[in-house]
Amino acid sequence: MPARTPAVNPKRWLGFVLVLVFAFTFACSDDDPAPSASTPEATVAPDTDSEEPDAPVPTAEPTVAPPEPTPVPTAEPTAPPPEPTAEPVSPDDSEATGRVGQSALEQLRIRMAAAAQFGGLIPSMAIVEELRRNAEGFSYEIGSHGGTLTVATISEPLTFNLALARDAGSSGVLGYLFEGLTQTSWLDDEIEPLLADSWERSDDGLRWVFHLRDDVQWHDGTPFTAHDVEFTFRRVIYNDDFQAASRASFEFRFLNSETGQWEQSQMTVTALDDHTVEFVLPQPFAPFLRSMGTAIYPKHILEGPIEEGAFAEFWGIDTDPAEIIGTGPFTIGEYTPGERIVFERNLDYWLADDAGGQLPYLDRVVELIVEELEDELELFRDGTTDFHGVLGEEFALLDPVADAENFTLHRRGPGFGTNFLAFNQNPGSNDAGEPYVDPVQLHWFQNVAFRQAVAHTMDKAAMIDGVQHGLGYPQWSSVSPAAGDFHNPEVRQYSYDLDRANEILDEMGWVDTDGDGIREDDLGNPISFTMVTNEGNSVRAEITGIIHEGMTAIGLDVDFRTVDFGDMVAQLTATFDWEAMVVGLTGSPDPFGGMTVWHSGEGLHLWHPNQPEPATEWEAEIDELYIAGSKELDHEQRVQHYWDAQAIVAENVPLIYTTQSERLGAVRNVFGNTTPTLYGYWDLRFLYRTDQ
């Protein structure tokens, strides 16, 4: 075994350069939500929440949207999933294809060189370059203790049990309390030690040994040990009695050469002593260190509820917040539903600054819960809050008053999240034997040509100009441009073309036969369904309104409604009784973070979750590519696997993407140890007020 070394990853300069070339032809999230506590699990939504590292999450904020951790369905599908009733239509003029015989990175390098010949890439590349320079030139100052950071949000936690959290509102709150063995740097996305002080691995990458800090204690004073790490993986993440949100990140899939079937195995986790823990993997796992940002839980608190079979109800939203025990820099001092959450400084936190001063510097963080995005702006303008995720329509309003109102506006390029329209293709039934989706509607939603026709009704220019006020970009791929070379800009694109959409449906024989303006399918059924999005998010509601206009323009009868965010998450993850939905997902710099979405056997495979085996050939291909990508240690080959998966997604459009906004944030000029980067604004543990 090699000598013990601190664990940091080499910088991916190529990824940064590629972001410069392509990031700004697409974009980021709908706004820039308030940065969360620290950086332990920033791989999911760097500035929004501290979710389990390799799973996307639902959020009520416009940055990304609903679905995330692995959902727990209440009933398995009762019938084998049918194949789509129509093949994809042949490629049209809007399709973009890669160059035959060239790898993903070769194609990227060619486009980069071509762009450079025209005197620069894209004007907005200067923003990314500035953010990179900010990160390179940053160093922490010794701060002063005291003071409060106040932010506002429309998100609210649905549970205090992070292991089971299915929404970014919950995981964002709990990110202040829990930490992992590693963290992802808000400066450069490199993996850094957190609860682990250092680690080493075997040459084949299958055995990892982590050496833990010996000065960490849980909020109740109990020492943190390797036994907590072993317990977290063996009794929480790998527990078959409930579905832990991060479990999919630690299931290792392989093809059994004898049976020809895909199977899965787990790693073993063993505490070698109080401060040393061993992980033995069944196969190589490229994002292993990043995945070690997953939260570690207290054995002495949770072992009892698990043994009693009561873990699913433990740490529910009605729990006294003082009972939520982690190792993080803050505890929950107060939670008033619908009003506020107050986080109090952990007086016994293990981290100190270079002068020996104990961190965090701030005494508290206050999250004010509001009903509408517009309420967030009002609280920022009147000086109540210190940070505001700026909407496109607000940028022109805030820019002229920044100096007078003592804040700075920041543009931060693309985010990692995605926003999209999805149709429910789940052929299963609930416990009462009732189908999740009406079979007539299922006939439409499972039809690839129907989904491609709808993709041509997306007026992304109207979304960008009318809703995002020009600070937005069309989104085509399932991986954000923020992921650098992992993003495939060559996927098939569906231009806004109502004539083409009508042509596709006409060719299918789905026409308006009775002259009432509504098309009927090939069996004579009027094409009518309900489409929902979450309340409180005016940006998403307006975009959904534009989607609604496009679909009705081609003769679809669509009932557009807004619903409670918690109800929408429940529909996605438990009841499965929805028809069409406009939502979004948090993202990760590593595409493996989308495994819970893209693998057909996972619970967040939104359109048809928890498949016993892939329902379609294209889903089977994506399964294989994501598994191959997780095992491949050669970076260029990993990129190619994920490029291929993105191309298949774009061809079959299970999720029809909308737009991304440029991340815009406003920060009050009263803080030290902050600078905007591609991945965040600060590490909250080091943030201090300069106006004390």
Side-chain angles (χ1 to χ4, degrees):
M1 181 172 290
R4 173 175 170 177
T5 56
V8 291
N9 281 352
K11 293 183 178 179
R12 295 178 184 167
W13 296 113
L14 176 59
F16 276 122
V17 173
L18 298 176
V19 168
L20 300 185
V21 183
F22 301 110
F24 294 95
T25 58
F26 296 86
C28 62
S29 53
D30 292 17
D31 81 338
D32 212 354
S36 60
S38 56
T39 54
E41 298 179 74
T43 54
V44 177
D47 310 313
T48 313
D49 52 68
S50 303
E51 204 13 92
E52 299 297 328
D54 292 311
V57 212
T59 111
E61 301 286 352
T63 20
V64 276
E68 189 302 75
T70 311
V72 188
T74 56
E76 293 294 329
T78 56
E83 294 290 331
T85 56
E87 294 298 316
V89 296
S90 57
D92 55 40
D93 292 340
S94 63
E95 181 178 12
T97 58
R99 298 170 178 81
V100 177
Q102 294 176 341
S103 73
L105 291 184
E106 287 171 338
Q107 294 176 43
L108 282 168
R109 293 181 183 119
I110 290 172
R111 286 193 300 278
M112 182 173 66
Q117 292 179 339
F118 289 92
L121 308 175
I122 297 171
S124 297
M125 66 159 279
I127 298 173
V128 177
E129 179 62 23
E130 179 182 1
L131 295 171
R132 185 177 66 82
R133 288 197 303 267
N134 289 346
E136 291 178 339
F138 180 83
S139 60
Y140 288 111
E141 302 171 343
I142 301 301
S144 56
H145 289 92
T148 300
L149 168 72
T150 303
V151 298
T153 179
I154 64 171
S155 294
E156 189 163 8
L158 303 180
T159 180
F160 285 141
N161 191 328
L162 179 57
L164 303 179
R166 307 173 188 177
D167 65 291
S170 301
S171 58
V173 165
L174 297 166
Y176 291 84
L177 279 70
F178 292 93
E179 300 175 304
L181 300 185
T182 66
Q183 65 181 1
T184 304
S185 172
W186 66 283
L187 292 168
D188 55 16
D189 196 45
E190 291 189 359
I191 308 302
E192 301 173 339
L194 192 60
L195 293 178
D197 183 65
S198 64
W199 51 84
E200 67 247 10
R201 68 173 179 84
S202 60
D203 291 337
D204 61 8
L206 298 183
R207 181 175 183 265
W208 295 75
V209 175
F210 286 79
H211 304 276
L212 308 184
R213 301 187 63 92
D214 59 7
D215 55 356
V216 179
Q217 61 184 26
W218 295 98
H219 292 155
D220 62 0
T222 303
F224 161 76
T225 72
H227 304 289
D228 295 304
V229 179
E230 179 182 289
F231 167 80
T232 293
F233 285 92
R234 288 191 175 187
R235 302 295 305 281
V236 179
I237 293 176
Y238 284 141
N239 197 312
D240 292 330
D241 293 335
F242 50 84
Q243 185 69 36
S246 59
R247 178 162 179 163
S249 300
F250 303 105
E251 294 283 5
F252 298 85
R253 296 171 175 82
F254 63 95
L255 185 64
N256 187 316
S257 58
E258 295 182 359
T259 66
Q261 299 294 314
W262 284 99
E263 299 180 6
Q264 62 186 36
S265 58
Q266 301 171 350
M267 61 186 179
T268 61
V269 183
T270 306
L272 303 182
D273 57 43
D274 283 352
H275 296 103
T276 311
V277 61
E278 175 193 62
F279 293 79
V280 178
L281 282 61
Q283 62 191 29
F285 182 41
F288 178 71
L289 282 178
R290 187 178 295 273
S291 75
M292 286 294 99
T294 195
I296 303 301
Y297 301 107
K299 177 180 180 180
H300 68 288
I301 299 292
L302 300 183
E303 187 171 35
I306 287 178
E307 290 182 350
E308 296 165 6
F311 185 70
E313 295 75 39
F314 197 71
W315 279 353
I317 197 61
D318 295 328
T319 303
D320 180 350
E323 297 179 12
I324 314 303
I325 303 299
T327 62
F330 292 89
T331 61
I332 302 177
E334 173 194 341
Y335 171 49
T336 305
E339 295 185 17
R340 69 176 57 218
I341 306 173
V342 179
F343 301 92
E344 301 286 351
R345 177 187 177 206
N346 175 7
L347 298 178
D348 297 312
Y349 190 58
W350 55 269
L351 185 61
D353 61 25
D354 289 343
Q358 189 180 45
L359 298 175
Y361 290 127
L362 294 173
D363 284 339
R364 65 189 58 82
V365 177
V366 176
E367 286 193 2
L368 301 177
I369 301 167
V370 297
E371 293 185 359
E372 306 287 343
L373 291 174
E374 291 74 14
D375 299 330
E376 296 183 17
L377 176 62
E378 181 179 348
L379 290 172
F380 184 74
R381 292 294 305 274
D382 70 15
T384 300
T385 59
D386 300 305
F387 175 89
H388 177 59
V390 179
L391 303 178
E393 65 186 83
E394 299 170 346
F395 188 83
L397 172 67
L398 293 176
D399 191 32
V401 301
D403 290 340
E405 298 184 12
N406 196 31
F407 64 84
T408 301
L409 278 172
H410 299 288
R411 299 176 62 178
R412 293 181 46 243
F416 298 98
T418 57
N419 294 275
F420 49 82
L421 165 69
F423 292 107
N424 193 346
Q425 302 179 50
N426 193 334
S429 302
N430 61 24
D431 291 337
E434 301 167 337
Y436 297 131
V437 185
D438 186 305
V440 172
Q441 295 176 322
L442 194 65
H443 173 61
W444 313 327
F445 299 161
Q446 290 182 330
N447 192 300
V448 179
F450 169 75
R451 299 195 300 271
Q452 291 175 331
V454 171
H456 279 294
T457 71
M458 293 280 175
D459 191 348
K460 299 183 182 183
M463 298 175 191
I464 293 168
D465 295 339
V467 181
Q468 296 164 327
H469 293 257
L471 293 168
Y473 309 85
Q475 180 180 351
W476 307 108
S477 176
S478 55
V479 174
S480 167
D485 50 341
F486 282 121
H487 166 71
N488 182 355
E490 295 292 324
V491 301
R492 178 173 179 173
Q493 299 181 9
Y494 298 84
S495 61
Y496 174 56
D497 188 342
L498 296 181
D499 289 339
R500 179 60 181 139
N502 281 318
E503 181 182 5
I504 293 172
L505 295 177
D506 289 346
E507 290 172 352
M508 296 166 61
W510 295 11
V511 297
D512 177 14
T513 59
D514 56 12
D516 65 352
I518 305 301
R519 290 178 180 270
E520 291 83 41
D521 64 17
D522 51 319
L523 301 176
N525 301 298
I527 304 176
S528 177
F529 54 87
T530 298
M531 175 176 63
V532 301
T533 195
N534 61 285
E535 296 174 342
N537 187 331
S538 58
V539 171
R540 186 170 298 134
E542 289 183 48
I543 286 177
T544 307
I546 293 172
I547 295 172
H548 179 254
E549 292 176 7
M551 288 196 288
T552 57
I554 61 169
L556 306 183
D557 181 23
V558 184
D559 180 16
F560 168 34
R561 304 176 185 176
T562 58
V563 299
D564 177 77
F565 176 67
D567 292 343
M568 194 166 72
V569 172
Q571 287 181 309
L572 284 169
T573 63
T575 63
F576 309 122
D577 56 346
W578 57 281
E579 295 168 9
M581 187 179 292
V582 177
V583 296
L585 292 170
T586 57
S588 168
D590 192 307
F592 182 77
M595 178 64 106
T596 54
V597 176
W598 295 112
H599 193 280
S600 63
E602 293 299 333
L604 206 60
H605 194 69
L606 299 178
W607 60 96
H608 181 185
N610 304 301
Q611 298 177 23
E613 59 183 45
T616 62
E617 290 185 6
W618 62 268
E619 287 172 292
E621 290 178 26
I622 293 175
D623 287 357
E624 294 181 15
L625 288 166
Y626 263 77
I627 292 169
S630 71
K631 295 191 298 182
E632 181 57 63
L633 300 182
D634 178 82
H635 181 68
E636 184 163 339
Q637 189 56 51
R638 285 197 77 211
V639 167
Q640 191 67 58
H641 289 319
Y642 292 120
W643 270 48
D644 292 345
Q646 291 168 69
I648 295 171
V649 171
E651 183 68 29
N652 292 278
V653 283
L655 307 180
I656 303 173
Y657 292 103
T658 59
T659 64
Q660 293 177 305
S661 301
E662 183 164 339
R663 287 180 294 174
L664 306 169
V667 182
R668 199 73 63 190
N669 298 325
V670 294
F671 293 101
N673 284 335
T674 176
T675 190
T677 75
L678 283 168
Y679 307 100
Y681 291 92
W682 55 62
D683 181 330
L684 188 54
R685 299 170 299 180
F686 290 86
L687 190 71
Y688 69 96
R689 295 194 73 103
T690 59
D691 59 349
Q692 296 294 326

